[in-house]
Amino acid sequence: MAYKYVFGPVLSGRLGRSLGLDLLGDRICSMNCIYCEVGATRNLTFERKPYVSAADILIELAAWKAEGLTPPDVVTLGGLGEPCLNSEMADVIAGARTLFPGTDIAVLTNATLMTDPEVRAELALADIVLPSMDSLVEMEFCCVNRPCGEVSPEAVAQGLLKFRKEFSGKIFLEILLVEGVNDSDENLGLLTDFCKRLKPDRVDVVTTTRPGTVKGTRPVERDTLSRWRAELEMGKCATCPAEVADCEVMPQEHLVALVKASLLRRPQTVPQMAKALNADQKLIRRAVEALVCGGDVVSREDRGETFYHGTGHVLEE
Ligand code: SF4
């Protein structure tokens, strides 16, 4: 089966082998972050709608399960934009739990919709919520995340604090630093105070490692990362590799489809995909070459590494 909304598994430093569900089907988001891996937001909105129906997503998830591959460590709602914008998110979580009982359900979110009590109640159905909060300095927040409308970092922070009180699962907060944009001491001070109040189960301070939306978006130095991590008293960094299961054996045609679905959502190198899909690098390289030949995928050099991504991944100059 060719999957439109199920992708991966991808190897996530925070979650292990994560099977992704795309709840948007297009680049639909309440932000247009300069570092976004999936490309520039096409529809910048706060409107909640069934952009993809829960039924369509769950039909694919059931088909993936029926293939009998090694089950993922976690099923993660995310994809090409902000999953909370899908008004059928609660049905997706419930359906995924029925199909994969005992497997954690996680949601990646930019937290902007947590100002809405209904969204917080739906998110509370998950086991792990991974919100991002890159800056509490208004100007930095606008520059790095380029949100829809007039959402303020203070409002998002308040929504997150309310959610902490309502949610009994785990919160993994992510802070992504871009050099010269949100790596100020003022932001570090505000986020340190915020983390003391939020008490997330873990904090991951990361920097951009893949091609982003805006050319010239640069990662911070290793020293800066170390200083922030020490200040925020976090444990593991987001790049800790997870254990992967034994190599899967699957037909090349099927591997090509999985690689294509994965690259449409996230630029990756061949070794990264090989780890995530439990496949031999040679087979992955062959799949990527077939996709490049067919015009579905292009390559891009970035900091000495070759990343591949879908041809729809739009960059800004
Ligand atoms: S990084 Fe996340 S929040 Fe930012 S534009 Fe991309 S999908 Fe939206």
Side-chain angles (χ1 to χ4, degrees):
M1 173 176 194
Y3 295 105
K4 273 172 82 180
Y5 309 118
V6 174
F7 60 99
V10 296
L11 190 68
S12 158
R14 293 180 287 178
L15 299 170
R17 287 180 73 246
S18 159
L19 185 65
L21 302 184
D22 178 5
L23 270 67
L24 287 315
D26 200 349
R27 296 193 299 273
I28 301 166
C29 195
S30 51
M31 287 178 160
N32 184 18
C33 303
I34 60 174
Y35 57 76
C36 186
E37 301 178 346
V38 300
T41 298
R42 212 194 302 265
N43 181 0
L44 186 63
T45 183
F46 267 121
E47 188 185 3
R48 297 195 81 204
K49 289 203 297 201
Y51 292 98
V52 181
S53 77
D56 285 351
I57 294 167
L58 294 171
I59 285 168
E60 284 198 8
L61 192 58
W64 192 92
K65 184 184 175 188
E67 289 196 41
L69 302 172
T70 305
D73 299 324
V74 61
V75 174
T76 305
L77 280 59
L80 292 172
E82 171 51 51
C84 295
L85 286 172
N86 189 322
S87 51
E88 295 188 357
M89 178 172 70
D91 295 335
V92 175
I93 294 173
R97 200 179 289 295
T98 304
L99 284 166
F100 290 91
T103 299
D104 281 345
I105 311 293
V107 183
L108 297 165
T109 175
N110 62 26
T112 48
L113 278 89
M114 281 197 195
T115 49
D116 179 346
E118 209 170 296
V119 172
R120 292 201 301 272
E122 291 176 27
L123 276 172
L125 300 171
D127 301 291
I128 307 170
V129 172
L130 300 98
S132 55
M133 171 50 80
D134 299 327
S135 184
L136 284 170
V137 179
E138 182 104 34
M139 183 64 89
E140 293 182 5
F141 176 79
C142 290
C143 287
V144 74
N145 299 124
R146 304 188 294 177
C148 176
E150 297 193 349
V151 61
S152 74
E154 179 55 27
V156 178
Q158 288 305 324
L160 259 165
L161 290 168
K162 282 186 188 153
F163 182 65
R164 172 77 289 180
K165 287 188 186 145
E166 298 160 359
F167 178 52
S168 56
K170 291 182 177 151
I171 295 181
F172 295 173
L173 184 74
E174 179 175 283
I175 299 164
L176 190 143
L177 298 178
V178 178
E179 190 190 57
V181 181
N182 64 330
D183 55 350
S184 68
D185 286 345
E186 182 185 3
N187 190 26
L188 176 56
L190 290 171
L191 282 171
T192 304
D193 289 344
F194 175 65
C195 285
K196 282 179 188 154
R197 294 169 67 202
L198 183 68
K199 297 187 176 54
D201 295 270
R202 65 182 279 172
V203 182
D204 291 280
V205 183
V206 299
T207 192
T208 166
T209 56
R210 297 188 177 88
T213 300
V214 174
K215 242 183 179 175
T217 300
R218 288 185 309 272
V220 295
E221 298 288 337
R222 187 161 275 280
D223 286 357
T224 306
L225 268 187
S226 304
R227 189 163 60 85
W228 277 64
R229 286 172 177 164
E231 191 72 29
L232 289 160
E233 294 181 340
M234 52 174 292
K236 289 183 176 178
C237 73
T239 49
C240 300
E243 293 296 320
V244 292
D246 290 342
C247 185
E248 309 260 13
V249 179
M250 62 179 90
Q252 184 68 8
E253 190 186 308
H254 182 57
L255 190 62
V256 171
L258 285 181
V259 167
K260 182 178 171 187
S262 191
L263 289 177
L264 285 176
R265 283 146 183 105
R266 187 178 197 185
Q268 290 162 87
T269 63
V270 167
Q272 282 170 343
M273 276 184 287
K275 264 191 178 178
L277 295 169
N278 286 340
D280 187 271
Q281 281 199 29
K282 278 188 208 146
L283 294 178
I284 294 286
R285 191 167 297 286
R286 212 185 298 156
V288 168
E289 281 165 3
L291 288 166
V292 170
C293 269
D296 296 307
V297 158
V298 291
S299 66
R300 181 178 172 201
E301 295 302 315
D302 195 76
R303 293 166 219 138
E305 291 192 278
T306 306
F307 285 84
Y308 295 90
H309 56 80
T311 40
H313 186 97
V314 179
L315 300 172
E316 294 175 11
E317 291 303 318

